[in-house]
Amino acid sequence: IYAAYFLKGLRRAARFRASKWISWQSISTGLDARTMRAFDDQVTAPLAGFANAEAYYSYSSVHQHLHQAQVPFTIVVDRHDPIVPIAMFERLEADSKTMGRIIETRKGGHLGYYTYRFGSGLSRWADRIVAELATENVSHLATATSLREENHV
C-alpha cells in the first residue's frame, strides 16, 4: 500500500515540475509509471544523466566501495521495505566480508515506519535501532579505552 501511495506522490510532483521546467518535460512518458523501477527508469535516471534505472542503481550503490571499508559498518534494512528490495542487501551481505554487518528487521517499512508506544508516543523503529547501535559502539569504545589505560598502551 505504501509503495503505491509513495509512487502516486512522486508522479504528482513530477507532473507539477514538468509543467514548470523544460528539463522535466522530456520525462512525461514516465508520469504513468506503475512501479518504482519504471519511475526510476523513465524519470529519475534520465534526469540524473543515466541511460536507465540499472545504470543509476549501479552508480549509486555502495557495492563497489565495500571492499575499501577501513572501519566496521552496520547497515539496517527491513525485509518489508517497499522502496528498496531486500534482495539488494542479501547480495551486499555476501560482499561485505568482515568489516560490515547487516541487521535485518521485520518491523515494516522504508526508513522505519512510525510506531506508537504507550507512554512514549510516536517514534520510528529505525531511530531506536540507530540509538541502540550508537550506545553499543560507545560502550565498546569506552571499554577498549579503559583496557588500554589499564595496560598503559
Side-chain angles (χ1 to χ4, degrees):
I1 297 172
Y2 178 77
Y5 172 79
F6 185 73
L7 186 58
K8 182 179 178 181
L10 287 175
R11 288 192 310 253
R12 186 180 325 115
R15 278 190 197 93
F16 174 78
R17 290 180 177 123
S19 74
K20 303 291 181 192
W21 301 321
I22 293 172
S23 61
W24 280 71
Q25 292 173 2
S26 64
I27 53 89
S28 61
T29 59
L31 300 181
D32 294 323
R34 297 284 178 222
T35 65
M36 285 299 303
R37 184 167 193 96
F39 185 87
D40 285 344
D41 205 37
Q42 299 166 8
V43 179
T44 309
L47 287 172
F50 295 94
N52 53 41
E54 188 59 39
Y56 170 68
Y57 296 157
S58 178
Y59 182 82
S60 303
S61 172
V62 71
H63 283 88
Q64 69 263 21
H65 304 290
L66 282 180
H67 69 282
Q68 299 171 346
Q70 296 179 13
V71 296
F73 60 87
T74 301
I75 297 173
V76 179
V77 61
D78 189 77
R79 171 135 314 265
H80 304 103
D81 188 325
I83 309 299
V84 182
I86 188 70
M88 294 176 71
F89 296 95
E90 291 166 344
R91 187 178 74 213
L92 182 66
E93 188 166 28
D95 294 344
S96 65
K97 304 210 176 23
T98 60
M99 290 303 286
R101 68 178 171 164
I102 296 175
I103 297 175
E104 177 187 319
T105 67
R106 296 178 185 273
K107 305 283 185 181
H110 183 65
L111 303 176
Y113 287 145
Y114 283 106
T115 58
Y116 181 79
R117 287 185 147 181
F118 185 75
S120 301
L122 287 176
S123 65
R124 289 183 187 264
W125 60 262
D127 294 343
R128 286 194 306 278
I129 289 174
V130 170
E132 289 170 12
L133 291 171
T135 301
E136 175 186 307
N137 287 334
V138 168
S139 296
H140 174 72
L141 290 173
T143 301
T145 301
S146 177
L147 289 174
R148 280 197 302 272
E149 289 172 357
E150 287 176 18
N151 294 316
H152 305 290
V153 177

